[in-house]
């Protein structure tokens, strides 16, 4: 932290911090492709909203100005991360400007559909097939659904069936009792393809 940052007024410091919190909220899970300038400029946008709240509220409000400024940055960020981005992308698509929705990966798009994944099957390059036949059983566990897509292309999955390269099927026990839940982490370079089933 530079001395120049410490020399600016506390309200400006807080506004900058609130702005970054807004940026992180608005683009949660979508920042992999952002460059430093993207992070700075988008943070400054939300910082401007927080600073406007500081300036709009009288000093007599006291310390309540700080949560109000945070809310001024976070509420628009949350609205953008939810319906705002999708509305804008659809509007741009209908206007024939572009159809890109800003997702860095297809996995990010899949997760943002907010439709539960009921089953998953992963084909490995060595011919092994990993299957989770009922992911609804794991809706409340630590993975929030029995699987997780890693930013590096890896997949974490509660595997209850495995088909070996020779075609033989093997059941795998996920619930290990006192030992906990068995899960498999598959590196991205091991995966040939995968399929998911989305609930309607």
């Amino acid at each position: 932290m530079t001395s120049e940052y410490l020399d600016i007024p506390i309200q400006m410091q807080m506004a900058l911090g609130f702005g970054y919190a807004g940026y992180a909220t608005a683009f949660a899970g979508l920042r992999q492709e952002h460059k430093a300038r993207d992070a700075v400029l988008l943070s400054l946008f939300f910082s401007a909203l927080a600073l406007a709240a500081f300036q709009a509220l009288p000093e007599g409000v006291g310390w309540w100005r700080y949560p109000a400024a945070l809310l001024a940055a976070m509420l628009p960020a949350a609205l953008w991360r939810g319906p705002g981005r999708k509305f804008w992308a659809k509007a741009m698509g209908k206007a024939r400007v572009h159809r890109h929705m800003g997702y860095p990966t297809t996995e990010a798009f899949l997760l943002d559909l907010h439709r539960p994944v009921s089953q998953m099957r992963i084909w490995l390059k060595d011919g092994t097939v990993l299957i989770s036949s009922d992911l609804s059983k794991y809706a409340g566990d630590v993975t929030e659904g029995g699987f997780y897509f890693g930013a590096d292309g890896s997949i974490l999955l509660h595997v209850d069936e495995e088909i070996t390269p020779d075609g033989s099927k093997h059941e795998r026990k996920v619930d290990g009792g006192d030992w906990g839940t068995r899960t498999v982490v598959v590196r991205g370079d091991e995966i040939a393809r995968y399929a998911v089933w989305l609930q309607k």
Side-chain angles (χ1 to χ4, degrees):
M1 186 177 295
T2 63
S3 60
E4 289 84 358
Y5 176 79
L6 294 175
D7 288 340
I8 65 176
I10 186 66
Q11 288 183 1
M12 182 65 75
Q13 293 180 34
M14 297 296 288
L16 290 171
F18 295 162
Y20 182 77
Y23 161 67
T25 299
F27 295 93
L30 305 173
R31 295 183 290 164
Q32 293 93 324
E33 303 299 319
H34 284 187
K35 296 179 173 58
R37 69 171 180 270
D38 299 320
V40 169
L41 292 174
L42 290 166
S43 295
L44 286 175
F45 170 77
F46 292 107
S47 295
L49 299 177
L51 191 59
F54 272 129
Q55 293 178 345
L57 292 171
E59 291 189 12
V61 174
W63 66 271
W64 283 104
R65 298 172 77 198
Y66 294 94
L70 177 61
L71 186 64
M74 296 294 285
L75 184 59
L79 290 173
W80 178 256
R81 182 64 182 88
R85 283 183 61 260
K86 293 177 183 177
F87 173 81
W88 182 252
K90 286 181 180 178
M92 291 296 98
K94 288 183 179 179
R96 298 184 182 275
V97 176
H98 67 79
R99 293 190 61 208
H100 193 279
M101 297 181 71
Y103 295 101
T105 63
T106 52
E107 290 86 356
F109 170 74
L110 180 69
L111 294 173
D112 215 31
L113 292 176
H114 302 295
R115 289 175 59 189
V117 175
S118 58
Q119 296 182 33
M120 183 179 292
R121 184 173 292 214
I122 303 173
W123 287 265
L124 304 183
K125 292 178 180 177
D126 68 1
T128 303
V129 184
L130 304 176
I131 302 167
S132 189
S133 58
D134 185 7
L135 287 167
S136 66
K137 295 188 294 189
Y138 312 113
D141 81 350
V142 68
T143 61
E144 294 293 339
F147 73 98
Y148 180 79
F149 290 121
D152 59 353
S154 62
I155 299 177
L156 178 149
L157 182 66
H158 293 347
V159 175
D160 57 28
E161 186 178 344
E162 184 175 331
I163 302 175
T164 54
D166 63 6
S168 57
K169 296 182 179 181
H170 305 274
E171 289 189 5
R172 303 299 185 199
K173 191 174 182 180
V174 176
D175 185 0
D178 292 340
W179 292 99
T181 304
R182 176 184 177 271
T183 191
V184 176
V185 178
V186 188
R187 295 195 314 268
D189 59 7
E190 296 178 303
I191 299 171
R193 63 190 172 98
Y194 65 86
V196 298
W197 282 256
L198 300 175
Q199 292 182 4
K200 294 182 179 180

